[in-house]
Amino acid sequence: MTVTVIDYGIVNLRNILRGLEHVGVEAESSIDPDQVLKSDRVILPGVGAFEAGMIELRAQGMDEALISVSNSGRPVLGICLGMQMLLDSSTEHGQHLGLGLIPGTVIPIPNGSQRGGKIRKVPHVGWNSLCYPSHLGSWNGSCLADTPPGTYCYFVHSYMVEPLIATHVLAECLYEELPVIAAIRKENITGLQFHPERSGSVGLEILRRFLTQ
């Protein structure tokens, strides 16, 4: 099995590659779209701003490669900014188009009383527990299979996703009384807002599940 981690310049590759190595996979990092097109599974990580990430993906032709892999039915995993770029658009510092693989947009985490009626710190940094969205009672068939509700994972983000279709929400967490989407899924495409590579043994098991699902 060939696993490629996309390297587009604003990625913390070391932790992800180390995490994959811990679960027994020698993944390759690549900036070559042809390598991505040949891969059995693709991981799109990312840190930083949405616009900068999309500019780099397009400059290297990675956007088209990712869309082709996704349309072929092969598993694709977006992590943090990588998850956000799977959506149609973002309002981070303006209006910017994403990959359009999962309908929805990316908005700021409200830091005032707009939602939840409580002042909250932004960014959302630290450990938070995963829970089922209202339409799900199981994570079977996903990379969260066998992950118990209430499991803590590590988050670092100032923006959050709002999928257009509720059934694309895979997991949520509660941040200062605000429901935040922690994971999304549409068929073969999965996004994780948290960092599995920084979430200890639980995160490693989630990566393992993605590689074997």
Side-chain angles (χ1 to χ4, degrees), residues 20-83:
L20 293 169
E21 183 179 348
H22 273 296
V23 300
V25 173
E26 290 189 14
E28 299 182 12
S29 62
S30 180
I31 59 172
D32 181 5
D34 290 336
Q35 171 64 33
V36 171
L37 288 169
K38 294 186 293 186
S39 299
D40 298 311
R41 282 169 170 75
V42 175
I43 297 176
L44 175 64
V47 294
F50 189 99
E51 180 185 20
M54 286 304 305
I55 285 172
E56 291 301 321
L57 287 181
R58 292 189 183 106
Q60 298 169 20
M62 282 295 189
D63 56 333
E64 294 181 0
L66 271 166
I67 292 168
S68 293
V69 171
S70 300
N71 289 342
S72 75
R74 283 169 283 171
V76 172
L77 175 66
I79 298 174
C80 198
L81 175 61
M83 162 178 162

Side-chain angles (χ1 to χ4, degrees), residues 132 138-149 151 202 205-206 209:
Y132 296 132
S138 166
W139 287 318
N140 290 342
S142 77
C143 65
L144 297 182
D146 298 330
T147 303
T151 294
V202 167
E205 183 58 31
I206 290 170
R209 279 287 181 180

Side-chain angles (χ1 to χ4, degrees), residues 89-203:
S89 64
S90 172
T91 61
E92 183 177 1
H93 307 305
Q95 190 75 25
H96 309 288
L97 294 178
L99 293 166
L101 295 172
I102 295 180
T105 191
V106 181
I107 63 169
I109 296 174
N111 60 4
S113 59
Q114 307 100 305
R115 297 190 182 191
K118 181 173 182 176
I119 303 299
R120 61 185 61 85
K121 295 180 180 179
V122 178
H124 171 206
V125 179
W127 296 84
N128 209 332
S129 59
L130 307 182
C131 61
Y132 296 132
S134 58
H135 67 278
L136 280 183
S138 166
W139 287 318
N140 290 342
S142 77
C143 65
L144 297 182
D146 298 330
T147 303
T151 294
Y152 279 79
C153 293
Y154 190 79
F155 291 78
V156 183
H157 63 118
S158 299
Y159 286 75
M160 64 185 199
V161 300
E162 279 200 332
L164 186 63
I165 301 172
T167 53
H168 290 158
V169 178
L170 180 62
E172 295 180 340
C173 66
L174 195 63
Y175 178 53
E176 301 287 355
E177 300 180 3
L178 174 73
V180 172
I181 293 173
I184 54 178
R185 188 183 187 211
K186 178 189 174 187
E187 299 169 350
N188 56 305
I189 307 165
T190 302
L192 304 175
Q193 183 64 72
F194 59 89
H195 289 268
E197 77 282 4
R198 299 178 65 182
S199 298
S201 59
V202 167

